[in-house]
């Protein structure tokens, strides 16, 4: 694999960033929090120390669940008095029944629309901008997204930048890669019709894309982006190829694990000065825990069945619900290192092409790139909440009867390796063409993912990320 590699000096500087002599929990590798201790030299001396976070919020889309529910979408848009609807989909879904069902429903309701069919699977800044330009030119008063997370995320971006017509793409992108501007006024109605059982994007305010100039995935995260309605119709997932079903299902798995093991919301850092600035990804909290833990149990049982038997309709239907449950969980609790590492892994991919996916460009599916580091991440984070890590291992089939809390990372890491190998997941990041010599470039690509890295229950910098990647070169 040929990728740009940083100099030894730049990697050394990154390593020193996490080598502080300060010993407060926020700077130690074994720290349980990112809040600085009372004697930390980095803490402001002022008596006006920011108040630690004390609240969390629950935000999600309205969801409608049921086989055939897609046929109601025309009435939904007529009820909204929509006059110019813009429907987003990708070139593959454009040929399939889910889009046909939506178009027929709009025609029956006499709702005027146009269809944008050029969504890129695993979107980039270029494909986002093309969709934004098309939406600004058309001037819709409502949006519909028919497809997987790529399509729903693209429609979210088009909606945002249509309302904010003078905004530059990076204005709302998460800092430090973008300016992190808050969305301070309502967007247009967006109805999401997912055709995969994975991303949960129909329930969240996140839109993810490849920022090609930085060689990394990033995104926009704001509650205002979440769809007005998500129509979870299991009939729309029937056409998923096996590998798409696998990748999207692994995304559900990792959403659930990461949200459940994220830093607790009250330990994330100072409370925002304005509630508008409270992040969508808040850290583990009592509400997200319920959704994430239940989604985990559903995936552990249903995903192996859905992959083994394409005719197992019950397993497929369970996965559509699990995706939404995990979406509600991580949409409020957040994700951390598995997703953080995946953004570099997929963003720097230059040659790997996963089976049964579009072949127009190199592509490592999101769920695959997330899952391959999950064993190493679990081994790293377990010390902070061993009981939860053992609970996850048990759900995945491990016998934890006599397991010690200090062995939670090993137990869960091994359970994840067995689970992934049983599903036929590629054997670590080496399967995508990466080697030890690529670790430095991957670390540089991952470090700017502040939005998710800060939710790790352990202090995480260049050295820790490099160790996770090294451990993930091969999993079996």
């Amino acid at each position: 694999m040929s990728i740009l590699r940083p100099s030894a000096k730049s990697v050394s500087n990154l390593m020193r960033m996490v080598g502080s002599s300060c010993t407060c929990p926020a700077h130690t590798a074994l720290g349980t929090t990112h809040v600085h201790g009372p004697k930390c030299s980095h803490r402001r001396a002022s008596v006006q120390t920011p108040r630690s976070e004390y609240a969390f919020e629950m935000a999600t889309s309205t969801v409608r669940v049921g086989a055939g529910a897609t046929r109601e979408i025309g009435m939904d848009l007529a009820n909204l008095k929509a006059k110019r609807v813009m429907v987003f989909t990708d070139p593959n879904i454009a040929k399939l029944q889910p889009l046909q069902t939506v178009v027929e429903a709009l025609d029956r309701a006499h709702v005027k629309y146009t269809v944008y069919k050029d969504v890129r699977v695993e979107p980039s800044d270029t494909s986002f901008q093309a969709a934004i330009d098309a939406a600004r030119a058309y001037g819709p008063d409502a949006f519909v997204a028919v497809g997987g997370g790529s399509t729903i995320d693209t429609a979210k971006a088009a909606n945002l930048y249509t309302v904010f017509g003078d905004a530059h793409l990076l204005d709302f992108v998460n800092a430090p890669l973008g300016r992190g501007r808050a969305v301070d006024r309502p967007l247009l109605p967006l109805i999401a019709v997912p055709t995969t059982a994975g991303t949960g994007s129909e329930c969240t305010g996140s839109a993810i894309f490849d920022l090609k100039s930085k060689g990394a995935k990033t995104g926009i995260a704001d509650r205002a982006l979440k769809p007005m309605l998500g129509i979870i119709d299991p009939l729309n997932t029937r056409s998923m190829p096996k590998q798409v079903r696998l990748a999207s299902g692994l995304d559900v798995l990792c959403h659930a694990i990461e949200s459940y093991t994220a830093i607790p919301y009250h330990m994330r850092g100072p409370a925002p000065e304005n509630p508008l600035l409270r992040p969508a990804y808040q850290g583990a909290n009592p509400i997200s825990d319920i959704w994430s833990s239940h989604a985990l149990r559903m995936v552990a049982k249903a995903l192996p069945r859905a992959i083994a038997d394409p005719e197992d309709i019950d397993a497929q239907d369970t996965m559509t619900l699990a995706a939404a449950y995990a979406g509600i969980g991580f949409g409020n609790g957040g994700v951390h290192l598995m997703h953080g590492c995946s953004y570099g892994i997929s963003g720097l991919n230059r040659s790997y092409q996963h089976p049964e996916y579009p072949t127009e460009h190199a592509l490592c599916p999101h769920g695959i790139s997330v899952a391959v580091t999950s064993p190493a991440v679990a081994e790293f984070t377990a010390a902070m909440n061993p009981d939860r890590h053992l609970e996850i291992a048990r759900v995945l089939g491990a016998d934890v009867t006599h397991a010690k809390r200090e062995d939670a990372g090993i137990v869960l890491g091994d359970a994840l390796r067995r689970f992934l190998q049983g599903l036929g997941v590629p054997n670590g990041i080496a399967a995508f063409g990466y080697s030890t010599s690529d670790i430095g470039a991957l670390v540089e690509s991952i470090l700017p993912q502040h939005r998710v890295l800060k939710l790790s229950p352990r202090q995480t910098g260049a050295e820790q990320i490099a160790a996770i990647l090294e451990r993930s070169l091969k999993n079996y």
Side-chain angles (χ1 to χ4, degrees):
M1 169 175 283
S2 176
I3 59 179
L4 181 64
R5 294 185 174 84
S7 66
K9 181 178 179 181
S10 65
V11 174
S12 177
N13 288 337
L14 289 171
M15 296 300 187
R16 283 198 295 272
M17 287 168 57
V18 296
S20 169
S21 59
C22 176
T23 58
C24 89
H27 292 282
T28 59
L30 293 177
T32 61
T33 176
H34 295 266
V35 179
H36 297 270
K39 297 182 180 180
C40 174
S41 61
H42 296 79
R43 183 174 180 170
R44 292 192 303 179
S46 169
V47 294
Q48 297 180 350
T49 301
R51 181 182 183 184
S52 294
E53 182 62 280
Y54 61 93
F56 63 92
E57 300 182 17
M58 168 72 178
T60 190
S61 308
T62 296
V63 294
R64 180 181 301 148
V65 183
T70 309
R71 293 192 295 267
E72 297 180 354
I73 195 170
M75 291 181 282
D76 289 318
L77 290 159
N79 292 340
L80 290 170
K81 311 296 189 217
K83 304 297 183 185
R84 289 176 68 81
V85 176
M86 192 164 189
V87 180
F88 282 79
T89 194
D90 67 55
N92 183 51
I93 296 298
K95 307 170 189 174
L96 301 177
Q97 187 60 47
L99 181 67
Q100 186 63 33
T101 301
V102 167
V103 166
E104 290 173 354
L106 296 179
D107 287 337
R108 284 196 304 271
H110 306 291
V111 174
K112 293 182 179 180
Y113 62 90
T114 188
V115 179
Y116 182 84
K117 303 178 182 179
D118 296 327
V119 169
R120 186 182 194 265
V121 177
E122 303 294 340
S124 67
D125 46 358
T126 303
S127 72
F128 261 24
Q129 190 62 58
I132 291 164
D133 292 344
R136 285 173 170 172
Y138 181 69
D141 57 6
F143 291 85
V144 171
V146 186
S150 296
T151 296
I152 300 172
D153 287 2
T154 300
K156 290 175 183 176
N159 188 0
L160 173 64
Y161 291 96
T162 296
V163 172
F164 291 85
D166 58 349
H168 184 275
L169 180 61
L170 290 180
D171 284 351
F172 293 97
V173 170
N174 305 314
L177 295 175
R179 300 180 183 92
R181 178 179 170 185
V183 181
D184 56 6
R185 61 179 184 263
L187 303 186
L188 297 168
L190 165 61
I191 299 178
V193 184
T195 60
T196 62
T199 68
S201 187
E202 67 274 12
C203 298
T204 75
S206 297
I208 307 301
F209 67 97
D210 282 322
L211 185 58
K212 292 298 185 181
S213 63
K214 300 295 183 180
K217 275 186 180 281
T218 184
I220 307 161
D222 194 294
R223 293 178 185 84
L225 268 67
K226 69 182 187 299
M228 179 197 79
L229 172 66
I231 297 179
I232 302 172
D233 183 344
L235 297 181
N236 292 329
T237 69
R238 298 289 187 255
S239 59
M240 270 198 296
K242 177 180 177 179
Q243 288 298 319
V244 177
R245 197 178 302 280
L246 172 62
S248 58
L250 291 171
D251 201 18
V252 183
L253 173 71
C254 294
H255 285 157
I257 293 174
E258 290 173 89
S259 176
Y260 197 52
T261 59
I263 189 171
Y265 75 95
H266 61 278
M267 299 172 71
R268 186 187 71 247
E273 295 179 1
N274 186 314
L276 180 67
L277 302 177
R278 179 167 285 114
Y281 287 4
Q282 303 163 91
N285 62 76
I287 293 179
S288 65
D289 286 351
I290 293 171
W291 293 96
S292 297
S293 61
H294 191 66
L296 175 65
R297 287 164 173 77
M298 296 169 76
V299 174
K301 294 179 179 179
L303 182 57
R305 289 170 47 198
I307 299 304
D309 182 4
E311 302 303 319
D312 191 334
I313 302 303
D314 179 67
Q316 293 177 25
D317 292 356
T318 298
M319 286 302 301
T320 62
L321 275 180
Y325 287 10
I328 296 171
F330 92 87
N332 292 280
V335 291
H336 51 86
L337 295 177
M338 298 174 197
H339 271 74
C341 290
S342 80
Y343 296 151
I345 293 167
S346 57
L348 289 181
N349 174 39
R350 297 291 180 266
S351 58
Y352 179 76
Q353 179 64 52
H354 197 74
E356 298 184 339
Y357 272 80
T359 57
E360 293 83 9
H361 54 275
L363 193 154
C364 179
H366 174 64
I368 300 292
S369 67
V370 172
V372 290
T373 64
S374 61
V377 169
E379 291 169 347
F380 173 71
T381 59
M384 295 303 99
N385 199 328
D387 293 334
R388 287 198 175 191
H389 285 70
L390 286 173
E391 179 187 350
I392 296 167
R394 180 183 58 77
V395 170
L396 292 176
D399 181 0
V400 301
T401 306
H402 302 294
K404 298 177 181 178
R405 297 177 79 246
E406 57 266 31
D407 294 332
I410 296 173
V411 173
L412 178 53
D414 287 346
L416 281 164
R417 290 185 182 92
R418 288 192 296 271
F419 192 79
L420 299 181
Q421 188 172 23
L423 293 171
V425 176
N427 187 10
I429 66 174
F432 312 140
Y434 292 113
S435 67
T436 299
S437 64
D438 298 312
I439 298 296
L442 287 167
V443 169
E444 279 206 336
S445 179
I446 293 164
L447 277 175
Q449 307 296 334
H450 293 181
R451 178 178 63 100
V452 293
L453 297 184
K454 68 183 181 182
L455 293 178
S456 168
R458 286 184 63 178
Q459 171 69 18
T460 308
E463 187 175 4
Q464 291 79 24
I465 294 170
I468 288 169
L469 294 170
E470 193 77 39
R471 182 85 169 125
S472 302
L473 283 168
K474 288 188 178 294
N475 283 324
Y476 325 126

